[in-house]
Amino acid sequence: MFSLSDLYILRRPMAEEAQRLLPVPATVSFAVFSTDGSVHPLDQTLATRTGASSPAETTISREPGMLGDRLILPLDLPSGECAAVVIGDVDPALLRKMSGRWLREVRATLLQELELVHWGYIDPEADLYNRRAAMTFLQEDPGDAPAFFLLLNTAFYRRTAVGNIQKLREIADLLQALTRMHCFSFGYGVFGVLLPAENREQAMKTTHYLQRQLKQEGLSRVQIGFAQVSGGDCQPAANVLDRLWRALALAEKRGPFGLCDIDSIDERFPHPFQLRQPAVLARLKQRWRGLSRFTLALATRQEASQSAGEMAWPDSISLAGMSLPRIDFLGEEERSALFILPEADAAAAEQAIAAIRTHVREHCGKDSLAIGIASWPCLDYAKSAIPGNCLKALLHGSFLGSEMTTVFDHVSLNVSGDFFFEEGDYRAAIGEYRRGLRLRPGDPNLLNSLGVALVECGQERQAATCFQEVLAKEPANYMALVNLGHVQQTLGQREKALESFERAYRLLEQSEASPQELLLPLGKLYAELGDHAKALEVFEHWRECPGSDREFLLFRLLGQAYWENGRGEEAVRACQRALQLFPQDSISLSTLGLLYVELGEGNDIGLTLCRKALALDNFNPDHWCRLGRALLHAGSRTEAGAATRQCLQLQRNHVEGLLLAGRLNALGMKRTRAKQCFNQAMAARACTPSQVERARAAIAELAAS
């Protein structure tokens, strides 16, 4: 539906169309009215959030008229919102001569033409803005408000073209529900999101959230590249889309759930843990020649006040009482200086650091000094990588205090691995964690971190080995238990996963980690195994957690759990809440439809909801089964049979579908076929104990009759 949001995103082509319809050259912009009748530019009053509230109703005339030297054409949009077309840079006398009747005709024609322009920038399959709209928007003046643009590559597979189109639409609807922002479809499962965010950290947090939610919906690949497109020092608009595609290409190389912020890549030279000054590196290469070992110290100074002057680093620092005559100063980069200690042992390095600190105190007073130390030889590192290890040690020390001396060790590699992990470069993170384990074999933190990174790269079996090693040393390690449970669930080991999750659940109160990472899979496992009372307990626990009121998935699962526990009214309210958060949630629609029918709330509305769910996703056998149950309850046995057959055609051993087929055959006096359905249901791997009891009771009833 044509709205203010469309005028904001498509303001340039909309303005060009308005200019084409005018009889004289003019500038055209769009605005909204305030309550006092004044107009404000659209890009300042409309937030970059879809579904923004309509502007306040005004008491001014909705007729075309002059406002100063500008002509104002009010537009009543199909969305119910009101916008203003502002026409300027025309002789005011000429504008005043335009008749009101002619202006009203122009306004009616303009609204129709703008709607046609709007449909030219919409992807008909995803019902989102298309690639052309993204290109148009990103070429505009970015404005002052900080915003980021995310490019997402998703992977899904359906057996038919229709199924792929349905899945594409499902992801598009989910993105809109999760972000409430302007979303774009580039085709082939690639989407864009315009994300207002104050800073990079907030954008990265939202990006991780999107990945996690899409992964929970069953997507096997969600790679995201992003860049800042407005606010701050942004790149010229002409190459923004090229940079976004480059970011996505880098994210694809980082694994199935890779991330890439192209701004951070472009700002580095060429690596986050590498010195930038070639002169410093050249001196280092000259100095290490012929040395069997050496130690580097990278000192970084932080000014105590803005008025502090520049400090000159010496060419060498004499160390009285040492066997070595000096430490060589190799050069400085920004506020850091690099020193080399040839053939130095631990005691000599300690004295050297004390001398450097003394020098800084003498020349800089209150300035604090952080020092990172790394030596060669170390593992399989080349000599040229040792300055990078100093930088890793400095990053490690930044978590310990403002004036620390930190020696490169396994913790430094854990910290640098975490840095790469947060950046979405999971393969680089794996390399760091593995090197850390060579320095400290069996370290629980490194093993846990390595396992999580391996999961992101799809190497679940290796990840399971890491978590099991942690638990062999620390049986009560909460995160290892949760992570192992996730891996076991992915590998199809439901009973083992349940055991791991239950052990973690007993430790939940002692953990500071997000409870959703445990409560969601534990509750779903209980439901899959037929223990619906425990599933409901877990989901209600989740409901008490902060922020849970915005999780549509929670209310979807709560609705199903309430239903299975015979609490129909609460199930209805939970499904309704899920649909408020995500109106296109086909599972909640289907569940709510069946609830309406079975609770006597109305067969027509219930069956309509079940069919609407199938219109969104008719490849889900659960939807066909619920429709079959609803039709049977409504007395349409023939239609119920057709829906049940469609369910079993999609999934031959669908337990609820087989139980429903057994009931239908029993009602049709086909006792042999009914018994076969019940036996097939009990033999299915996914059959739960409660379903086995229902099947046995049905067979016994057949025998008795």
Side-chain angles (χ1 to χ4, degrees):
M1 184 181 295
F2 185 35
S3 65
L4 282 174
S5 173
D6 301 317
L7 284 177
Y8 173 75
I9 293 293
L10 305 174
R11 54 187 181 272
R12 191 181 75 179
M14 297 281 188
E16 291 172 352
E17 182 64 19
Q19 289 170 333
R20 187 184 66 82
L21 293 174
L22 294 174
V24 294
T27 59
V28 175
S29 60
F30 299 99
V32 292
F33 293 103
S34 65
T35 53
D36 61 0
S38 60
V39 294
H40 299 278
L42 186 59
D43 56 356
Q44 293 184 18
T45 56
L46 179 67
T48 53
R49 182 182 298 270
T50 59
S53 58
S54 301
E57 289 295 324
T58 64
T59 58
I60 64 166
S61 171
R62 293 293 178 87
E63 293 298 314
M66 296 294 295
L67 186 63
D69 59 354
R70 298 175 297 170
L71 176 63
I72 307 298
L73 290 179
L75 290 180
D76 290 320
L77 304 179
S79 62
E81 300 162 312
C82 183
V85 181
V86 182
I87 301 171
D89 289 338
V90 180
D91 183 2
L94 178 61
L95 291 175
R96 290 188 177 93
K97 290 180 181 178
M98 296 179 180
S99 70
R101 178 181 176 183
W102 181 82
L103 288 173
R104 286 190 291 273
E105 292 176 355
V106 169
R107 178 175 63 177
T109 303
L110 178 60
L111 185 58
Q112 295 174 1
E113 294 299 321
L114 292 182
E115 282 198 76
L116 291 176
V117 171
H118 159 250
W119 287 115
Y121 289 88
I122 298 296
D123 183 326
E125 301 300 343
D127 198 25
L128 301 177
Y129 296 116
N130 57 22
R131 178 174 181 160
R132 183 182 173 207
M135 294 173 65
T136 300
F137 177 77
L138 292 173
Q139 289 170 359
E140 289 295 297
D141 179 13
D144 298 327
F148 294 76
F149 197 92
L150 278 57
L151 209 55
L152 298 87
N153 180 35
T154 61
F156 53 87
Y157 174 73
R158 291 285 177 88
R159 289 179 293 177
T160 65
V162 173
N164 283 323
I165 292 172
Q166 285 185 340
K167 190 64 178 180
L168 184 76
R169 182 60 181 268
E170 180 185 331
I171 297 172
D173 292 336
L174 183 58
L175 274 177
Q176 287 188 300
L178 292 173
T179 63
R180 306 289 179 183
M181 309 295 175
H182 298 299
C183 297
F184 302 77
S185 174
F186 288 76
Y188 304 100
V190 178
F191 298 91
V193 177
L194 180 63
L195 177 67
E198 290 298 323
N199 49 48
R200 179 179 179 275
E201 289 70 26
Q202 186 179 346
M204 185 66 80
K205 183 178 179 181
T206 303
T207 301
H208 281 293
Y209 168 75
L210 281 177
Q211 271 194 332
R212 185 174 66 251
Q213 294 292 329
L214 292 171
K215 190 176 182 180
Q216 288 173 357
E217 290 298 309
L219 296 186
S220 59
R221 184 171 68 213
V222 184
Q223 296 148 331
I224 304 179
F226 67 96
Q228 188 169 1
V229 295
S230 66
D233 299 325
C234 293
Q235 296 289 330
N239 71 343
V240 168
L241 200 54
D242 292 338
R243 298 179 70 242
L244 285 165
W245 283 115
R246 187 157 60 91
L248 185 57
L250 288 170
E252 289 173 333
K253 294 178 181 178
R254 292 178 171 182
F257 294 93
L259 297 175
C260 178
D261 173 11
I262 198 64
D263 295 326
S264 64
I265 296 293
D266 289 345
E267 289 169 4
R268 298 174 190 158
F269 180 81
H271 189 277
F273 298 112
Q274 185 169 331
L275 296 180
R276 301 186 182 188
Q277 295 294 339
V280 176
L281 296 174
R283 291 192 202 105
L284 174 59
K285 289 179 181 179
Q286 290 177 348
R287 193 66 185 83
W288 74 40
R289 288 175 184 167
L291 297 178
S292 61
R293 63 176 181 172
F294 63 85
T295 297
L296 296 182
L298 185 64
T300 299
R301 189 163 58 95
Q302 297 176 339
E303 291 181 349
S305 65
Q306 296 295 327
S307 60
E310 291 295 325
M311 182 189 76
W313 294 97
D315 290 334
S316 64
I317 299 176
S318 298
L319 299 179
M322 285 182 58
S323 58
L324 296 174
R326 65 181 186 178
I327 330 167
D328 285 344
F329 168 67
L330 297 172
E332 61 180 310
E333 180 177 298
E334 296 178 353
R335 305 196 62 78
S336 300
L338 184 65
F339 299 89
I340 184 170
L341 288 69
E343 308 288 352
D345 56 17
E350 186 177 345
Q351 288 181 314
I353 299 309
I356 293 172
R357 288 195 177 279
T358 300
H359 177 83
V360 172
R361 279 196 298 270
E362 290 174 354
H363 291 80
C364 305
K366 297 181 180 179
D367 283 6
S368 62
L369 189 71
I371 301 176
I373 301 173
S375 300
W376 182 86
C378 177
L379 299 178
D380 58 348
Y381 284 109
K383 294 177 181 178
S384 58
I386 303 307
N389 289 349
C390 291
L391 288 167
K392 294 172 186 177
L394 281 172
L395 180 63
H396 171 194
S398 67
F399 293 97
L400 305 177
S402 60
E403 194 169 353
M404 296 296 298
T405 297
T406 311
V407 179
F408 175 78
D409 60 6
H410 67 287
V411 180
S412 306
L413 285 165
N414 202 338
V415 171
S416 60
D418 291 346
F419 171 85
F420 284 119
F421 188 93
E422 288 300 317
E423 294 286 310
D425 193 348
Y426 303 118
R427 290 192 169 93
I430 288 170
E432 297 293 284
Y433 296 140
R434 282 180 168 156
R435 278 193 168 119
L437 285 167
R438 289 172 62 186
L439 289 176
R440 182 65 65 85
D443 181 80
N445 290 329
L446 282 165
L447 283 169
N448 230 337
S449 299
L450 175 60
V452 174
L454 288 168
V455 169
E456 296 296 337
C457 289
Q459 301 176 42
E460 281 81 7
R461 296 189 185 280
Q462 292 185 47
T465 301
C466 293
F467 301 135
Q468 287 163 350
E469 285 187 43
V470 175
L471 293 170
K473 296 181 178 181
E474 299 179 1
N477 189 305
Y478 172 82
M479 286 310 304
L481 286 167
V482 173
N483 292 330
L484 180 60
H486 278 289
V487 170
Q488 290 167 331
Q489 192 173 24
T490 302
L491 295 174
Q493 302 168 354
R494 294 196 303 177
E495 289 74 14
K496 291 183 178 180
L498 182 60
E499 180 185 352
S500 298
F501 287 141
E502 286 180 331
R503 287 171 60 190
Y505 191 59
R506 292 191 287 270
L507 300 168
L508 182 59
E509 298 300 327
Q510 306 168 23
S511 172
E512 298 179 358
S514 171
Q516 179 184 344
E517 299 296 327
L518 169 64
L519 299 178
L520 171 60
L522 176 59
K524 289 178 72 173
L525 263 181
Y526 277 138
E528 289 174 12
L529 296 172
D531 199 340
H532 299 290
K534 287 185 177 179
L536 181 58
E537 178 187 340
V538 170
F539 293 141
E540 287 184 328
H541 186 166
W542 181 7
R543 191 174 187 174
E544 296 172 0
C545 299
S548 62
D549 58 330
R550 298 187 297 273
E551 295 282 355
F552 80 90
L553 182 57
L554 166 62
F555 290 98
R556 174 206 288 176
L557 295 169
L558 266 175
Q560 294 174 328
Y562 282 132
W563 176 34
E564 294 289 353
N565 283 277
R567 296 162 64 174
E569 293 183 1
E570 291 170 284
V572 168
R573 288 195 293 270
C575 289
Q576 289 171 339
R577 176 57 180 159
L579 290 169
Q580 287 176 351
L581 295 169
F582 182 17
Q584 306 302 319
D585 181 12
S586 62
I587 297 175
S588 296
L589 280 169
S590 177
T591 305
L592 184 60
L594 178 56
L595 283 166
Y596 278 155
V597 172
E598 293 191 342
L599 294 175
E601 297 290 336
N603 290 348
D604 290 341
I605 187 173
L607 292 171
T608 299
L609 290 176
C610 288
R611 292 190 171 105
K612 184 177 179 181
L614 284 167
L616 292 170
D617 183 6
N618 64 357
F619 286 85
N620 189 328
D622 293 339
H623 295 353
W624 287 104
C625 183
R626 294 189 193 104
L627 176 62
R629 284 183 58 175
L631 288 166
L632 178 60
H633 195 278
S636 302
R637 191 189 302 174
T638 303
E639 291 182 75
T644 306
R645 286 191 295 273
Q646 186 64 36
C647 166
L648 295 174
Q649 185 176 344
L650 289 169
Q651 186 177 332
R652 185 177 59 183
N653 289 322
H654 190 278
V655 178
E656 286 295 332
L658 288 167
L659 293 174
L660 180 58
R663 287 175 58 194
L664 288 166
N665 281 303
L667 291 171
M669 298 301 176
K670 300 176 181 178
R671 293 188 174 88
T672 302
R673 179 58 187 149
K675 187 175 180 181
Q676 289 175 348
C677 290
F678 293 134
N679 284 326
Q680 187 179 346
M682 289 190 291
R685 183 181 178 187
C687 190
T688 65
S690 62
Q691 289 170 328
V692 170
E693 289 180 13
R694 286 164 53 195
R696 286 175 177 166
I699 291 174
E701 186 177 344
L702 282 174
S705 63

